Amino acid sequence: MTTEYLSSTNFPAASPASAGTLAAELETLLSSDFTGNMFALLAVYQRILADNSQRHQWPAVHQKLETLFKCGKYAVVDGPMIGIPVSIRDSDYFQDTVQHFGKERSKIASIEWMATAWNMTFSDTGLWMGKTFEPVAREVVADKTGNDAAMLAQYDPQTTRIGRNYFREPPQPDLIQSLGLPVLTPMWNLKPRPKSTAEKLFDSDLLPENLAREVNIPYSMTGGIFLALPGKSVVPEMHDKEVYQLNYRWPRLNPAYPMTRLVDELVQIADGIYLGQLVFATKHYSLGSLRLLSSPDMPAIPLGEAYVGEHDKPLDLLFKLFSGDKEVDYGYQNNGYFLMMDPAYAKEVYADIAFPQLRPRAGESGYLELGYDKTEPPRKPAPAGAPAQWQGVTDWVNGWQDNEDLRGKFTSFILEESPKKSDVEDVREMRRDGESILQMLQRISLDISAQTAGDDQLKHFDRLHRLFRCGVAPQVVNGLFQGHGKKGYNCRANGKEKRDWYGQADVARGFDFYHGATLNLHLGFSDTLRGDMGKKFNDSQLFPGTLASILDDDVIKNPNVLNMVWHSIGKYIFPWAGKSYEKISGRKLSMFLDESSDLAKRYPERVRELKTHLASAPHYALVKKGSHHYWQKPGAYAAHLQSGSWDKGMSDEDKAFWEKEANDHWVDGNNIQDERVLAADPLMRVIDMNYRVPDPSLQALSEAGPSPFARQGYIFLGVDDRESILPMNSDNDNKKKVFQFHYRYPMIGGPTPIGFCLDELVEIADGLFLGQLIYATALDVPYHSSVDPAEYKYQLFGYFLLMDDTWERHRRAIKLDVWQD
């Protein structure tokens, strides 16, 4: 079957056999999926690709879109077009390698981080609303391309266009969505929607007929410039298929990353419908430029390689002399699909069976013109009922104030005196009237994000520092994690399923878990760098005035990139959901804390696992260093391991020590991950040697609560009654006591960089815990418990929270670091 626009003959197939296969794929697609409305068909595909829960269908839908694109017809696109992203795909930097093994995409690329993040933030908000294609003079093309001969040879006033994108505010934006246009406006040099043809936008000629056609497209800002003209597809798999090509990469268009990598390609597939593929370069691209904040008058430093078209590049001359290549290999790949739709078909585009999420809203252009003011808006669904254990609470944002028990829980601190004499203010005064402790933390977190956006220094975290120093360290009681609140735990359960641990089977005992959230992150390496610089200059007594200028807080101001990336993308991608605890046996604890020189003989299977999991290389390196007697002093627990391992000669006295130590101070810990990790299951099993499916009976406990978990991994040892390793938490000999999470001992294993981590925790309210994310920054100093912790240059990398089920319901309602809708 063929249509006016769709035919397998539109694709230059490599062989008659592949041409026949493509024709059959198009026939199957049109006969099984198409029901007479192409807008509705594409909307079905878009909804599947915008739903992370349907990712198992994504490869098949991408294949169908590829078929449509291959069979689509070349056509010039002119004037304004309504647009919607259909899918976004990660670049596959290992594509060439895996294709040798008959695979389309590598495991890393198949995780689709970008699609996952996009779907959770902007996919159906209408942030991007389309493009327009305007006439452009030959002189402008010459200027924008640096007089590129190939571009000027192809210039034709009938087919060459300069274009710009449309953007609008998302409806009822959350914190991340509200940052969309404010961030894009300066980055992409966006300008307000033009009101007349007299306005000159980006060297284009705004025609009156195009301005009139724009009325059906609701947008407020425009920019993101490209040059468009007929061409051959740059994606190798497209075999030079004829397309209408949109190039953002020319440096004189001033593209911001990632547009420095972007080439769009369009084909027509139906009346008023153009299917586009996003194409990104994976080689020879610019990352933009860097301007030193301390030297604003200096020229910007270019990062990466500026785009030069298809010219020979001087640095590649020798290579090309021998290889015969005449063009630059930019490593172009398909990175997803989008639609361009003629606004003359606006009613069909905005129909309920198509893309109602793009429909103009009250006050926007097109709302009155298309008659939406005469239709009744859909009603919002009623809010979900209250959890059984809190009958009557339907509003988890503020409704807790009407429940006496919840009000007490959400406003009462658990505190002790800070070890620092300078902490004289009452941290309870941080909470405002009518505000829960969690809402207080959310407000403080937003303040810190704003303060550190351009100045990532720990002084801006002072309120969290003081609160942490006044928090109370949780305990281990009879082998169980125990807080200081009314219950002191979130749940208590024993497993039913036996599982093996190094040759002995047993069930989980004393299982408990807490939900996790990140407040703010900080690049701790900068603190070590400052300290190292200061020590270096002080020791040498060189240029004290210069040093003071360099280290002055008002001179060194770096943006808090780590925090910004987490809140804009990271929290929507990384599936960390909290931590779980259970009892640990003396046998298992003795293995995990063992730093003996003969670990490979004591625990051969465990060491073999360390060796075969490449991500655990730092832990395996500790085993090897120990075998060569790298450390002169014995480890902290060496005296109770000299008689041998638990299974190979350990004395009864030492076994009794380990049983008591496990019972009094330690718990077996796991980080828990939510359902988002399932898409990366194969990769996680390769990376994390401790990654596993939870026992069904324990997983069922989480599924009865507000935020279920799906996997466990990144194991650690939790220990109570420890002195904080960060000097900022103590005052000379007056040390802050904390609960610590240990990831560093060699037999624990785990993927880099978790082996450099040693977190600390305190409780600040009933079931609410404040944690410090701490990493060693002296990465070249191998870990051993005999080494002074100062040698590892531990630094604070941010704050996180652990919460029981009740706090988690409140957190989700107020949208503190949540990824769900």
Side-chain angles (χ1 to χ4, degrees), residues 726-786:
L726 291 183
M728 62 179 287
N729 290 332
S730 301
D731 198 351
N732 297 322
D733 293 333
N734 194 10
K735 304 294 185 182
K736 176 64 182 175
K737 288 295 184 74
V738 296
F739 189 92
Q740 290 182 338
F741 303 128
H742 283 262
Y743 297 87
R744 307 208 66 188
Y745 284 89
M747 301 307 292
I748 291 178
T752 304
I754 202 68
F756 297 98
C757 186
L758 203 167
D759 296 342
E760 298 185 342
L761 191 76
V762 295
E763 190 171 14
I764 59 173
D766 183 357
L768 180 62
F769 303 84
L770 180 62
Q772 290 185 328
L773 182 64
I774 302 170
Y775 279 90
T777 59
L779 304 183
D780 58 337
V781 183
Y783 179 77
H784 195 263
S785 61
S786 68

Side-chain angles (χ1 to χ4, degrees), residues 423-453:
D423 289 342
V424 294
E425 297 180 22
D426 188 345
V427 296
R428 291 173 295 186
E429 295 180 359
M430 295 182 190
R431 190 183 68 83
R432 296 173 179 173
D433 289 342
E435 190 177 55
S436 72
I437 295 173
L438 203 58
Q439 288 168 324
M440 174 198 80
L441 290 168
Q442 183 179 43
R443 171 174 51 81
I444 291 173
S445 177
L446 291 172
D447 289 346
I448 293 173
S449 293
Q451 291 167 346
T452 62

